[in-house]
Amino acid sequence: MNIEISDLHFTYPSGVQALRGISLTIEAGEQVGIVGQNGAGKTTLVRHLNGLLHPTAGEVKIGDWDTRKYSVAKLAARVGYVFQNPDDQLFSRDVRTEVAFGPKNLGYPKEQVEALVSEALEMTELADKTEANPYDLSPTWRKMVAIASVIAMDTPIVIFDEPTTGQDAASVARIANVIRVLRERGKTVITITHDIDFCAENFERVIAMSQGRILLDGKANDVLGQEEILAATYVDPPQLARLGRRLGFKETVRNEEEFLAALKNMSA
Amino acid sequence: MNDRLSFYRKRNSPVHALNPFTKLILVSALIFYGLTAKGFWTATLMVAFVLLPLALASKLLKEYVGVALKVILPTAGFMFVMQSVFIPGGTTEIFRLGFISVELETVQRSYLIASRIFLFISAFVLLLLTTHPSELMSDLTRRGLPPQFAYVIISTLQIIPQMQAKAQTIIAAQRSRGLDTESSFFKRAGLLVPLVGPLVFGSLVEVEERAIAIEARGFTSTRTKTFLHDIPDTPADKFIRWTLTLFIIISLAARLWLS
Ligand SMILES: Nc1ncnc2c1ncn2[C@@H]1O[C@H](COP(=O)(O)OP(=O)(O)O)[C@@H](O)[C@H]1O
Ligand SMILES: [Mg+2]
């Protein structure tokens, strides 16, 4: 299911022009990281994808659906959206019920709900915490519950808004693993993040935003190498890329494998 | 961000420039006079000739009227129904609606009460629109208000818009999980748990965090505190305050004298 955004403008009722002409196509199965300074309009952009916001001008299409013509509840079957703060959505007495809420709303048959929930709990390593009250869990595990509750909806498109903010290393690794599994299943994953190393390691395509516009959009290596342009939106290239540059590598590297390969190339 | 979380609207106007305490005295004087004066039209006249011009001067006429209407229409309607049901016994029937007879006395009584409530609330609305809550409290604390008291007031003022913002995020999050908020009334009753649950839990967590945060900043320290912002208090402010106080005393004395 493709995402098609054409000349999207959005102004909040308060008068803030949050988006100023965004055109973008995301193909089914793509993994996209969105970076950019605070207030760049990243959250505003992804809130258009499931119809929480409607364009002031321009158009957003999810597959063949124009988001203006479908309710958020309908679009939820196509676009899953993990909010930044898990406490904004958790309300059930136990983890399992919480995770089942989304798929139930979508009207899947009972057995399928069961299967999807079990799978999502497995993927987020919550299988041993299904009876716990979400509010008895630590914030990092509450985050996993929120992620599981959206993954269980089995939508072709999944959005994460700053999933790694405030998470410890183990939790970041779990989230990276969830994204990897979603990629293997052919899901489209769109992730807003300030963690540039996380972005470099997990996404093939990176979009940099600044002041309601797209600054850069392309292969992760190309985008993350544009040090000067990224500086305009207060994003530093990943550590390995900067180190590689100082070592005189020709290409931008973004993970350990690429770094080692380039290093071998140089010494050969 | 902060602007969205309180009633305060920043403008460059003489009303905004007044000292917060002056505005508080002004509002208190208006309310005191409006509620104690006997005239049927007093409250209405004070809204028309004091509050509306002040709203205009603070460049917030639209916001003031907007908030005010939201308050007055339900209030007036409610008053009228209550008065009609519980205190019947007027004599001048205006018209009859089925078995309900609408009497002039009822209409007058409801109007009087509604206009007073309107004066009361809309005076405060104007104060909140033109005064940043933390400035008001800072100024009052400097004048000797206990900081604990100031804290209670300021957090109450902030909590309504904050809860609103949070409720909106929660609704958005649950709709994103397929919750159909546009469904029928009966389904709506079932919506309450997913919406109110996170609101209550979140507020509890917030209270604890706030307590720790203010304690970490020495809130309960007994030393004399200094103030970060200087809030101007001009001779004009003092003049206005004294005039208003004098006015209230004289009108009170006059009433006692004449009665
Ligand atoms: N609900 C809102 N009402 C008014 N303005 C908003 C609202 N949400 C965000 N904004 C403003 O829109 C701009 C973009 O915000 P946002 O999309 O949240 O940025 P990002 O997610 O990139 O940090 C900012 O200037 C922000 O202050
Ligand atoms: Mg954001």
Side-chain angles (χ1 to χ4, degrees):
Chain A
M1 191 162 296
N2 293 359
I3 299 170
E4 198 81 50
I5 301 171
S6 34
D7 198 28
L8 168 60
H9 289 257
F10 183 78
T11 307
Y12 279 102
S14 63
V16 179
Q17 279 191 5
L19 298 177
R20 309 161 185 242
I22 301 252
S23 293
L24 191 64
T25 303
I26 297 174
E27 310 268 344
E30 270 195 286
Q31 315 281 303
V32 186
I34 303 182
V35 298
Q37 76 208 73
N38 275 335
K42 306 177 296 291
T43 299
T44 307
L45 174 63
V46 297
R47 284 190 177 201
H48 277 82
L49 298 181
N50 71 341
L52 283 173
L53 297 175
H54 288 165
T56 307
E59 191 185 58
V60 177
K61 284 180 86 177
I62 307 297
D64 53 347
W65 288 3
D66 180 335
T67 56
R68 268 172 302 201
K69 302 208 175 91
Y70 292 85
S71 70
V72 178
K74 282 261 160 29
L75 278 158
R78 295 192 167 186
V79 182
Y81 182 170
V82 183
F83 273 58
Q84 194 174 340
N85 182 0
D87 297 349
D88 286 339
Q89 60 175 75
L90 305 181
F91 64 92
S92 303
R93 238 170 247 268
D94 63 274
V95 169
R96 197 173 182 93
T97 319
E98 183 69 49
V99 175
F101 181 71
K104 267 191 194 152
N105 283 334
L106 295 183
Y108 294 130
K110 204 162 183 287
E111 306 78 59
Q112 196 183 349
V113 171
E114 287 293 306
L116 286 170
V117 168
S118 298
E119 204 177 17
L121 290 172
E122 203 68 48
M123 228 160 112
T124 46
E125 299 172 32
L126 282 164
D128 58 338
K129 299 183 175 60
T130 56
E131 303 299 319
N133 184 321
Y135 280 92
D136 289 337
L137 298 174
S138 69
T140 45
W141 284 108
R142 283 213 290 277
K143 183 80 192 179
M144 296 316 287
V145 177
I147 291 176
S149 71
V150 170
I151 287 174
M153 293 162 69
D154 196 26
T155 52
I157 299 163
V158 183
I159 297 168
F160 296 94
D161 195 342
E162 303 198 15
T164 58
T165 305
Q167 303 296 306
D168 57 22
S171 178
V172 172
R174 276 193 295 272
I175 295 169
N177 187 49
V178 166
I179 291 174
R180 185 183 56 77
V181 175
L182 291 176
R183 168 169 51 225
E184 285 165 11
R185 295 191 180 164
K187 307 273 188 200
T188 310
V189 178
I190 299 169
T191 304
I192 296 173
T193 182
H194 283 291
D195 182 341
I196 206 71
D197 292 311
F198 179 80
C199 180
E201 280 156 31
N202 295 288
F203 300 96
E204 293 301 321
R205 177 175 172 189
V206 174
I207 294 172
M209 288 184 66
S210 173
Q211 299 180 0
R213 292 198 180 84
I214 290 180
L215 215 53
L216 293 166
D217 176 5
K219 280 217 167 65
N221 294 52
D222 299 337
V223 170
L224 295 174
Q226 311 272 349
E227 202 163 342
E228 294 75 30
I229 303 181
L230 286 179
T233 190
Y234 301 98
V235 172
D236 275 338
Q239 277 194 23
L240 280 176
R242 281 182 285 156
L243 185 59
R245 172 146 304 173
R246 289 187 60 178
L247 285 170
F249 293 176
K250 292 210 175 51
E251 287 114 47
T252 308
V253 295
R254 61 185 176 106
N255 55 32
E256 287 161 34
E257 282 72 39
E258 291 182 4
F259 182 86
L260 290 174
L263 197 63
K264 278 204 187 104
N265 247 341
M266 266 225 326
S267 46
Chain B
M1 264 318 249
N2 236 337
D3 282 354
R4 268 195 295 138
L5 294 184
S6 77
F7 286 107
Y8 179 64
R9 296 286 176 276
K10 199 178 159 90
R11 295 285 187 281
N12 192 2
S13 90
V15 182
H16 285 71
L18 284 177
N19 180 279
F21 191 49
T22 311
K23 282 183 266 189
L24 189 65
I25 296 281
L26 175 67
V27 166
S28 314
L30 275 176
I31 291 171
F32 181 78
Y33 190 75
L35 296 194
T36 52
K38 292 224 171 59
F40 181 74
W41 294 107
T42 312
T44 315
L45 290 175
M46 292 180 73
V47 170
F49 292 107
V50 183
L51 285 174
L52 277 178
L54 280 177
L56 193 65
S58 43
K59 303 177 188 165
L60 286 166
L61 191 60
K62 212 177 78 193
E63 286 82 355
Y64 170 77
V65 172
V67 176
L69 279 183
K70 264 190 225 160
V71 173
I72 193 58
L73 291 179
T75 314
F78 180 72
M79 277 305 146
F80 181 71
V81 171
M82 297 307 276
Q83 292 275 338
S84 306
V85 173
F86 292 111
I87 323 178
T91 44
T92 338
E93 183 174 292
I94 309 178
F95 63 88
R96 185 168 263 285
L97 226 167
F99 62 94
I100 305 167
S101 96
V102 177
E103 284 139 5
L104 184 63
E105 286 79 359
T106 317
V107 175
Q108 280 176 342
R109 256 200 322 264
S110 344
Y111 181 84
L112 183 63
I113 297 177
S115 68
R116 286 179 169 181
I117 293 179
F118 183 69
L119 173 72
F120 185 87
I121 292 178
S122 74
F124 263 110
V125 166
L126 193 65
L127 173 72
L128 295 181
L129 280 170
T130 58
T131 315
H132 198 287
S134 48
E135 220 169 71
L136 176 65
M137 285 308 141
S138 235
D139 194 58
L140 293 183
T141 319
R142 193 187 330 226
R143 292 175 199 276
L145 185 79
Q148 284 84 348
F149 191 73
Y151 176 75
V152 168
I153 294 190
I154 198 165
S155 53
T156 313
L157 288 181
Q158 284 178 344
I159 213 158
I160 299 167
Q162 258 168 21
M163 290 278 254
Q164 267 176 352
K166 190 157 173 65
Q168 267 163 15
T169 312
I170 293 168
I171 292 172
Q174 307 300 33
R175 286 168 78 205
S176 304
R177 296 168 79 193
L179 188 70
D180 193 355
T181 46
E182 281 133 37
S183 60
S184 68
F185 176 79
F186 287 104
K187 264 187 105 179
R188 264 169 192 258
L191 296 181
L192 227 53
V193 177
L195 300 184
V196 175
L199 200 61
V200 172
F201 285 125
S203 309
L204 292 180
V205 173
E206 229 158 71
V207 166
E208 189 184 358
E209 279 173 2
R210 264 170 188 257
I212 294 171
I214 61 173
E215 192 49 55
R217 294 177 192 188
F219 186 70
T220 48
S221 158
T222 46
R223 299 273 192 107
T224 314
K225 284 166 187 155
T226 55
F227 292 87
L228 184 58
H229 299 289
D230 203 26
I231 297 162
D233 197 8
T234 62
D237 276 305
K238 292 197 182 83
F239 176 75
I240 296 175
R241 287 203 295 269
W242 281 115
T243 315
L244 286 167
T245 316
L246 219 61
F247 168 75
I248 288 298
I249 294 173
I250 291 173
S251 74
L252 206 67
R255 189 148 337 132
L256 289 176
W257 194 262
L258 293 179
S259 63

